[in-house]
Amino acid sequence: HKCCVGLHHIPAMIASALSRVAARPCSRCSLRVSAGFSSTSGCGVSSTATLHWGDMDAFKHLNNTAYFKHFETARITHFEAIVARARELDPSYAGAEDFLKGEGIGPILAATSCRYRRPCVYPDKLTTTSSITLSTDGTHDGGEVGRFVMQYNIYSEAQEGALVATGEGEIVILDYATNTKATLHPAMEAAVREIG
């Protein structure tokens, strides 16, 4: 299902942990997802990365700044999935090509945060899941989507799928040509709602 982009390919140990802590099944398929995911949209997207020795700090665990790199990778993977789906929904939408190039209408990170739950140490593989909660930006007529929140969960394979960090990123849609707030094209909004 397109609603669970990447989630069907996460390591079995992480999938098992997700099913143990899941709050609800995906509304579009049988995969169970964690409580942080929006109940009105799809499951979201996931990415898995190997923890590198150089990511650890003097305290012999993953440096706090490295978690934001995992969030960034998840965010870009998520946006790539949204762009691909928007192209399928509306092949005539030319702006999809510019969405991740800093040209035309695209996303910009306004704020981000992380809650560290457990330390990670080398060696490990971390799976980061991401989902989007949509809101409307009151500055635009019609309530079009001009900002949203992306939630992140990071799971550790070495810790049997334990949730090691959670985070959020506030995303604002920007017209890069005028440096002003903008809204998502309807195909992009539909893709966000479908993927989650």
Side-chain angles (χ1 to χ4, degrees):
H1 292 273
K2 289 183 171 96
C3 61
C4 299
V5 178
L7 289 178
H8 291 290
H9 304 290
I10 60 177
M13 189 177 299
I14 305 293
S16 174
L18 281 172
S19 69
R20 288 193 304 270
V21 300
R24 66 175 180 82
C26 169
S27 60
R28 295 182 172 94
C29 68
S30 60
L31 183 70
R32 295 188 65 80
V33 296
S34 68
F37 284 60
S38 168
S39 61
T40 59
S41 59
C43 294
V45 176
S46 76
S47 60
T48 299
T50 300
L51 191 152
H52 298 283
W53 175 262
D55 291 335
M56 296 197 324
D57 61 20
F59 297 104
K60 301 180 183 174
H61 58 72
L62 183 63
N63 184 277
N64 63 306
T65 61
Y67 291 85
F68 290 96
K69 292 178 185 176
H70 290 275
F71 292 167
E72 178 182 58
T73 298
R75 185 169 54 253
I76 298 305
T77 300
H78 205 127
F79 288 149
E80 288 171 344
I82 289 167
V83 167
R85 184 63 183 136
R87 284 187 193 130
E88 292 173 1
L89 293 171
D90 184 356
S92 68
Y93 171 47
E97 296 297 324
D98 294 332
F99 193 72
L100 290 175
K101 294 180 181 178
E103 300 170 4
I105 306 296
I108 191 163
L109 183 65
T112 189
S113 64
C114 182
R115 177 159 172 83
Y116 308 99
R117 297 181 173 272
R118 298 174 77 156
C120 294
V121 297
Y122 177 87
D124 201 350
K125 282 190 179 178
L126 302 178
T127 297
T128 305
T129 60
S130 58
S131 67
I132 292 175
T133 302
L134 288 180
S135 61
T136 57
D137 185 344
T139 64
H140 299 285
D141 295 333
E144 296 97 347
V145 175
R147 67 177 59 237
F148 52 85
V149 175
M150 185 177 287
Q151 295 91 20
Y152 313 105
N153 291 318
I154 300 179
Y155 300 91
S156 163
E157 187 175 292
Q159 296 180 52
E160 299 180 357
L163 179 64
V164 295
T166 59
E168 287 188 348
E170 181 184 355
I171 311 298
V172 173
I173 303 304
L174 187 71
D175 182 336
Y176 281 89
T178 62
N179 202 28
T180 58
K181 289 183 184 178
T183 58
L184 286 173
H185 182 277
M188 295 295 280
E189 181 179 343
V192 169
R193 291 189 187 282
E194 184 176 306
I195 292 171

